[in-house]
């Protein structure tokens, strides 16, 4: 007799209570293996692949793509006997508790995401009903643009639809305009929903103060140009952001209150003696703030490598939950958008966020004369419960001092 087991959405960690079902990688009637990836879900932290804790035949998919699923809700029914009716069934009478995502199931090698997708497509009898292949970020773009992926010619290496394919499709297809209602409505879900909630909570919980300073960073720009020609940094993408990050890390040594947290429950100020440096990144899934763990121990070269890896992973939509957790202070680089400054909102649980503006060539007083110099504006938002005005001002001034004269950075490192 067939035994049907229901797989419940597991606890994905970080206290998350729900996830958005992005795509199924299997269908009713498929034979699946233990630990085979069956679906992709998106939480407030990252996209996660769900491996199956059971082997058998898929008898029912209990949630639809694009819906929000609560932790503990049945996702899929799996029978351990091949001879079953593949039609959707009622919820299983016996549901086994499912442990947290990390570590459940037995050891084994799960098929890759792309392999699962190819298998799913190959198993469809009618190719015209096959689900188009596309990564979660590409599906997000398609949803925003109102594009049906089934109508987009795919040019990806594995038959998947790429962003370039969507752009080319939009160039060819005239926009459909409803006269009087030229608007697009996008469901608030996933990262954007949780980011919005976190930002509102931060804005109305932590008393924000923002200070600004404009700095002549010509010496830093010249030093970077020189370092890039050396053998030590020749293969490193050395950017002004790396120097700003290094200056921030050094400045924290004399201003530890900027690397602290307000524990409301215990009524304690928690000062961190390590730095997990967050970098705000604009990604296809919305604003994310992955962080470099233990950044305080990194030299300039390793810090530059870590920054390049972190931002590259974020833009590809591959940032994992662990990379987004436990940040202690953040930098947001609005200069890459040509913006001079801003008043950033604190990342929840952190005491400060530094905003790095565009570096511009402009007239500046230098050695008693007016000269063209490389100038930028830094702004610092901080939680006034944790950081007094004097401490915030000294911290910002210390960073500016190191960027205006990198010898101060060397002296304090």
């Amino acid at each position: 007799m067939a035994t049907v087991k229901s797989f419940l959405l597991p606890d994905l960690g970080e206290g998350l209570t729900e996830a958005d079902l992005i795509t199924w990688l299997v269908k009713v009637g498929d034979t699946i293996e233990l630990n085979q990836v069956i679906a992709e879900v998106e939480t407030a932290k990252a996209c996660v692949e769900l491996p199956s804790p059971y082997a058998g035949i898929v008898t029912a998919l209990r949630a639809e793509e694009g819906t929000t699923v609560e932790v503990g809700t049945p996702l899929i029914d799996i029978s351990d006997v091949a001879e079953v009716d593949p039609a959707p069934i009622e919820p299983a009478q016996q549901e086994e508790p499912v442990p947290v995502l990390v570590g459940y199931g037995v050891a084994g090698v799960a098929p890759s995401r792309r392999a699962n997708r190819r298998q799913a497509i190959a198993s469809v009898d009618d190719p015209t009903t096959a689900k188009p292949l596309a990564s979660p970020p590409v599906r997000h773009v398609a949803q925003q643009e109102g594009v049906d992926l089934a109508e987009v010619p795919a040019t990806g290496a594995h038959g998947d639809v790429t962003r370039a394919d969507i752009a080319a499709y939009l160039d060819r297809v005239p926009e459909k305009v409803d006269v009087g209602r030229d608007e697009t409505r996008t469901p608030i879900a996933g990262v954007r929903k949780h980011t919005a909630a976190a930002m509102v909570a931060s804005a109305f919980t932590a008393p924000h103060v923002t200070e600004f300073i404009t700095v002549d960073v010509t010496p830093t720009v010249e030093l970077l140009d020189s370092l890039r020609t050396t053998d030590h940094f020749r293969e490193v993408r050395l950017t002004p952001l790396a120097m700003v990050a290094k200056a921030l890390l050094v400045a924290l040594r004399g201003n530890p209150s900027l690397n602290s947290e307000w524990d409301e429950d215990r009524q304690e100020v928690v000062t961190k003696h390590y730095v997990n440096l967050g970098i705000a990144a604009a990604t296809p899934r919305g604003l994310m703030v992955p962080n470099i763990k233990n950044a305080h121990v990194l030299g300039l070269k390793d810090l530059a490598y870590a920054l390049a890896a972190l931002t590259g992973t974020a833009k590809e939509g591959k940032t994992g939950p662990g990379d987004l957790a436990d940040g202690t202070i953040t930098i947001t680089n609005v200069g890459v958008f040509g913006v001079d400054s801003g008043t950033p909102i604190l990342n929840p649980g952190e005491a400060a966020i530094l905003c790095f503006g565009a570096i511009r060539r402009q007239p500046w007083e230098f050695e008693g004369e007016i000269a063209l110099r490389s100038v930028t504006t830094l702004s610092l938002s901080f939680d006034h419960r944790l950081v007094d005005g004097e401490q915030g001002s000294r911290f910002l001034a210390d960073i500016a001092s190191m960027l205006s004269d990198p010898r101060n950075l060397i002296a304090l490192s």
Side-chain angles (χ1 to χ4, degrees):
M1 180 177 178
T3 300
V4 177
K5 298 178 180 179
S6 290
F7 174 33
L8 315 183
L9 178 65
D11 178 357
L12 301 172
E14 297 298 320
L16 301 173
T17 60
E18 64 182 24
D20 296 331
L21 178 59
I22 301 299
T23 184
W24 284 110
L25 302 179
V26 296
K27 63 180 185 352
V28 173
D30 281 356
T31 300
I32 60 174
E33 301 174 359
L34 180 67
N35 287 332
Q36 177 177 329
V37 177
I38 57 175
E40 291 172 342
V41 298
E42 182 181 55
T43 71
K45 298 293 186 180
C47 266
V48 178
E49 295 179 337
L50 290 182
S52 172
Y54 313 120
I57 307 296
V58 177
T59 60
L61 303 180
R62 304 279 290 277
E64 295 183 2
E65 293 179 351
T67 59
T68 300
V69 183
E70 298 287 336
V71 169
T73 300
L75 277 180
I76 186 173
D77 291 344
I78 302 170
S79 171
D80 60 356
V81 177
E83 293 78 10
V84 297
D85 183 0
I89 63 173
E90 295 299 317
Q93 296 299 316
Q94 179 182 358
E95 294 180 346
E96 297 186 1
V98 179
V100 297
L101 177 65
V102 179
Y104 73 77
V106 298
V109 179
S112 70
R113 179 189 306 179
R114 286 175 175 169
N116 287 330
R117 289 177 170 170
R118 290 196 298 270
Q119 177 184 351
I121 296 299
S123 63
V124 178
D125 294 331
D126 182 3
T128 62
T129 64
K131 182 178 181 60
L133 298 183
S135 66
V138 172
R139 292 184 183 279
H140 179 71
V141 171
Q143 183 184 43
Q144 286 187 318
E145 298 291 347
V147 172
D148 182 355
L149 287 174
E151 299 179 358
V152 180
T155 64
H158 299 279
D160 53 312
V161 178
T162 66
R163 290 194 209 186
D165 295 336
I166 293 178
Y169 174 81
L170 291 172
D171 287 340
R172 293 193 303 270
V173 179
E175 183 178 359
K176 297 179 181 179
V177 179
D178 181 2
V179 177
R181 291 192 176 276
D182 185 8
E183 60 188 25
T184 299
R185 292 179 176 267
T186 304
I188 301 172
V191 169
R192 187 165 300 279
K193 178 176 70 174
H194 295 283
T195 298
M199 291 299 101
V200 170
S202 175
F204 286 95
T205 301
H208 285 57
V209 174
T210 305
E211 296 184 341
F212 302 81
I213 190 167
T214 302
V215 192
D216 177 2
V217 294
T218 306
T220 290
V221 172
E222 293 173 346
L223 176 60
L224 287 170
D225 289 340
S226 176
L227 290 175
R228 292 187 188 105
T229 64
T230 65
D231 291 339
H232 191 66
F233 288 95
R234 195 179 303 279
E235 297 180 358
V236 182
R237 186 171 180 268
L238 192 57
T239 66
L241 178 60
M243 290 294 286
V244 171
K246 187 60 181 177
L248 176 146
L249 294 169
V250 172
L252 280 177
R253 298 174 188 172
N255 303 276
S257 64
L258 278 295
N259 196 51
S260 61
E261 179 182 4
W262 183 276
D263 189 331
E264 181 66 28
D265 294 336
R266 297 187 178 184
Q267 288 293 290
E268 295 175 340
V269 173
V270 183
T271 302
K272 311 292 179 65
H273 301 293
Y274 58 92
V275 183
N276 292 341
L277 179 60
I279 303 295
T283 77
R285 298 173 55 231
L287 176 67
M288 303 181 74
V289 189
N291 61 77
I292 301 171
K293 300 294 191 288
N294 295 312
H296 61 290
V297 302
L298 301 179
L300 182 60
K301 182 178 180 180
D302 289 334
L303 187 59
Y305 272 128
L307 283 168
L310 176 145
T311 54
T313 300
K315 290 178 180 178
E316 292 174 0
K318 298 180 180 178
T319 302
D323 296 325
L324 296 163
D326 302 324
T328 63
I329 191 170
T330 294
I331 297 175
T332 178
N333 182 11
V334 300
V336 296
F337 305 110
V339 175
D340 293 325
S341 188
T343 55
I345 296 177
L346 295 170
N347 204 31
E350 299 179 11
I353 179 170
L354 180 72
C355 180
F356 175 30
I359 298 177
R360 301 189 187 279
R361 295 286 288 175
Q362 62 186 59
W364 194 260
E365 189 277 329
F366 178 67
E367 295 182 350
E369 298 181 355
I370 300 298
L372 277 178
R373 306 287 288 176
S374 296
V375 178
T376 191
T377 297
L378 303 173
S379 61
L380 178 74
S381 292
F382 55 87
D383 185 341
H384 219 328
R385 298 174 301 176
L386 294 161
V387 182
D388 294 335
E390 178 185 2
Q391 297 165 339
S393 299
R394 289 187 182 278
F395 177 69
L396 188 57
D398 287 348
I399 295 173
S401 173
M402 286 181 269
L403 295 176
S404 64
D405 187 349
R407 290 176 297 181
N408 294 328
L409 177 59
I410 297 171
L412 294 173
S413 296

